[in-house]
Amino acid sequence: MTDNPRVPRAATSRRNMLFGTAAGAALLATGCTSNENNDGKEESSGAQVADSKPGKKVTIGFAGPQADHGWLNAITTQAKNRAKKYEDVTLEATEGSNDNATQVGQVETLINKKVDVLVVLPADGKALTQAGLKAMRAGILVVNLDRIFSTQQAYRCWIGGDNYGMGLNAGHYIGEQLKDKKKAKVVELAGIDNLELTRQRTKGFDDALKNYPNIEKVARQAAEFTVESGQQKMSALLQAQKSFDALWNHDDDQGVGAERAIKQAGRDEFIMVGGAGSKRVMEAIKKDDSVVKATVLYPPTMAASAIDLARALGQGKGIAGMAEYEIPAQVTLYSAVVTKKNVDEYLPIGFT
């Protein structure tokens, strides 16, 4: 795919601005920046990077799945709240749908409205790819949020979580807790198995555990990211495994059901690590009176950062703090492990 003529060039900045962090930091910098030339001397540049001051008005279309899950609801909330912070941004948001055909129709409606930039979190990346391609071919830049399209031609920039890294960090945390225990046993309560993100999380988890030869994963159940499925599948794990040392649960929402099953069974011989970073789990970690000891972030603040990206693209500006002229093609967020030691830092971004 050739360069899109609407993609701007932007100067670099030497300011240390963070982008795509868990806090969803805005793309803030001064309008005029400076670079270093080949001799190491600074030279001025008139190109611009995005800042918080009002600029060119941008209409951003936002389409996501139905907000029927705590994390997905937080995604929509983050996007809307971020857009409200900018006087120059108008957000056109769809109702959201888990039906692929309906979501395609919603994206096409936004294309027909001739929004400046699209932010799309597809219910299914493969199924929505043609809609992304249609927008790009119409000259509307697309920010693909989290669930990725099948081809890079369908988006200008992708921003999302690190599913493999999520599993990797969960595995390393559990490994460090159990490294001195002989013949330690762990179990895994996964998400929806036909989703690539679930397979990536499991692979990362398994790869991390390879570093701890004393640990064996003795069981795995796939739930469906719902409270009901979490309770059902956790009950099955508890019945099959009379004792184990650690549990990794992929999703804090289904973890509500998992914790119910654990309490009903009267089990507490293991530690539990959650996934995604809900406020409920963070509060449990802080209270420290249950099996829940940590959660691995999959921050919904990525939606706020997606709005930042879309605004910068629509205004023909770039990002401060990077040496490249253009905004990145991909931004992958880090899956931090939240424990009792750092929970106060992350509580403000926990979702409900």
Side-chain angles (χ1 to χ4, degrees), residues 3 17 26 43 56 68 74 83 99 107 113 123-124 141 143 176 215 242 258-259 289 295-296 322 326 341:
D3 288 342
M17 299 301 298
E43 55 186 22
K56 176 185 174 182
D68 57 357
D99 178 75
V107 171
K113 286 184 176 181
D124 182 301
L141 297 178
V143 178
E176 288 302 301
I215 298 176
K242 299 308 178 184
E259 289 174 56
D289 64 353
T295 187
V296 187
M322 300 188 71
E326 308 287 0
K341 290 182 179 179

Side-chain angles (χ1 to χ4, degrees), residues 52-71:
S52 60
K53 297 177 182 178
K56 176 185 174 182
K57 293 186 180 299
V58 179
T59 299
I60 300 172
F62 177 81
Q66 183 178 348
D68 57 357
H69 179 280
W71 186 86

Side-chain angles (χ1 to χ4, degrees), residues 3-4 17 40 57 76 114 118 121 158 191 204 211 252 256 294 305-306 308 316 334 340:
D3 288 342
N4 190 308
M17 299 301 298
K57 293 186 180 299
T76 302
K114 297 182 179 179
L118 265 173
L121 197 167
W158 173 87
N211 294 285
D252 285 341
V256 173
S305 292
D308 292 334
Y334 182 70
K340 190 177 181 180

Side-chain angles (χ1 to χ4, degrees), residues 137-155:
R137 288 165 181 163
I140 299 172
L141 297 178
V142 176
V143 178
N144 181 195
L145 180 57
D146 198 43
R147 298 174 188 173
I148 196 164
F149 294 139
S150 298
T151 172
Q152 193 167 335
Q153 296 185 77
Y155 61 88

